[in-house]
């Protein structure tokens, strides 16, 4: 996992530096900070969305007429809760993962003005699910033979689609976006014999992430 993260960081860092070296007045490097709300769409478990942080580095430049492009990397912590049964009572167990994303977005400037619609693909590399050790043996509501520790090893590489709106002045912009995971982030669990035997059918889940960011360009 560390190799994946380091390779992506190196790729975006070198690409951004190279682009900045030959940039014209229409290219800008941006640093973003914000919050996200993450949900997991699945019929296998009962999930409640959670809120955490996001940040990143990007390059924005003119492309053609009212179109521009954004290329960059985001780092995020994503949280959501799963309903479990401890043997005594039900409890929502908080799950979280760290993720790094590379995105390439096409942006349409509405009427050529400061507001644009942004959309494009996202490559995501994420960690395993993390949780408190005290909750690892809780049974999962909906799949009562599974424990929380059985679902930590989720798929590490996923693809999302991004749609959002952004606007502001030249050096400061605000963005609101939504990402949907087109790949099954639980698919890696279906390759584990012990999980397949315990789960009632194949596990399937898709991420849904709403994020709000402020971007500083220089």
């Amino acid at each position: 996992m560390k190799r994946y993260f380091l390779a992506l960081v190196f790729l975006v860092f070198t690409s951004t530096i190279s682009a900045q070296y030959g940039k014209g007045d229409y290219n800008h490097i941006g640093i973003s900070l914000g919050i996200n709300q993450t949900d997991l769409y699945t019929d296998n478990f009962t999930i409640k969305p959670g809120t955490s942080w996001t940040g990143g580095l990007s390059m924005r430049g003119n492309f053609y007429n009212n179109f521009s492009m954004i290329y960059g990397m985001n780092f995020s912590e994503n949280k959501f809760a799963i309903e479990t049964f401890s043997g005594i009572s039900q409890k929502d167990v908080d799950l979280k993962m760290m993720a790094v994303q590379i995105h390439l977005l096409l942006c349409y400037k509405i009427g050529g003005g400061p507001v644009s619609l942004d959309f494009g693909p996202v490559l995501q590399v994420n960690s395993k699910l993390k949780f408190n050790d005290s909750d690892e043996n809780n049974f999962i509501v909906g799949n009562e033979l599974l424990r929380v520790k059985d679902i930590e090893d989720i798929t590490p590489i996923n693809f999302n689609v991004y749609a959002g709106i952004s606007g502001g002045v030249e050096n400061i912009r605000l963005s609101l976006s939504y990402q949907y995971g087109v790949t099954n982030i639980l698919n890696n669990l279906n390759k584990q014999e012990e999980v397949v035997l315990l789960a009632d059918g194949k596990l399937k889940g898709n991420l849904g992430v709403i994020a709000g960011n402020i971007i500083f360009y220089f």
Side-chain angles (χ1 to χ4, degrees), residues 69-209:
M69 295 192 74
I70 299 175
Y71 169 61
M73 170 184 283
N74 283 337
F75 299 90
S76 67
E77 178 185 72
N78 300 85
K79 293 181 178 180
F80 50 89
I82 187 169
E83 190 174 345
T84 72
F85 184 72
S86 65
I88 302 176
S89 61
Q90 288 191 348
K91 177 183 179 181
D92 292 336
V93 173
D94 292 327
L95 304 175
K96 70 177 181 179
M97 68 179 188
M98 302 301 297
V100 59
Q101 298 181 334
I102 289 180
H103 57 266
L104 179 63
L105 308 178
L106 183 64
C107 311
Y108 174 71
K109 302 175 185 177
I110 300 175
V115 177
S116 66
L117 301 176
D118 313 325
F119 50 92
V122 179
L123 170 64
Q124 173 176 300
V125 177
N126 49 259
S127 68
K128 297 180 180 181
L129 292 178
K130 305 296 182 183
F131 42 82
N132 290 332
D133 291 342
S134 60
D135 297 321
E136 66 177 11
N137 289 313
N138 285 17
F139 293 99
I140 298 174
V141 173
N143 276 268
E144 281 76 7
L145 296 178
L146 285 177
R147 299 175 186 265
V148 172
K149 64 182 180 180
D150 294 326
I151 64 168
E152 67 173 331
D153 195 12
I154 57 176
T155 305
I157 300 178
N158 292 278
F159 291 92
N160 305 338
V161 291
Y162 178 110
I165 185 169
S166 61
V169 295
E170 181 178 359
N171 297 113
I172 301 177
R173 294 178 68 87
L174 299 175
S175 73
L176 180 65
S177 65
Y178 175 76
Q179 290 188 42
Y180 178 77
V182 296
T183 51
N184 178 10
I185 197 170
L186 301 180
N187 191 50
N188 202 48
L189 301 175
N190 295 321
K191 302 174 184 177
Q192 302 173 29
E193 290 186 8
E194 63 276 15
V195 175
V196 173
L197 292 174
L198 295 174
D200 182 16
K202 287 191 174 182
L203 302 179
K204 185 178 187 301
N206 303 86
L207 282 181
V209 182

Side-chain angles (χ1 to χ4, degrees), residues 29-46:
I29 289 180
I31 296 177
S32 63
L33 298 170
I35 59 174
N36 67 64
Q37 183 180 75
T38 302
D39 202 351
L40 178 65
Y41 304 126
T42 177
D43 294 328
N44 301 110
F45 316 125
T46 301

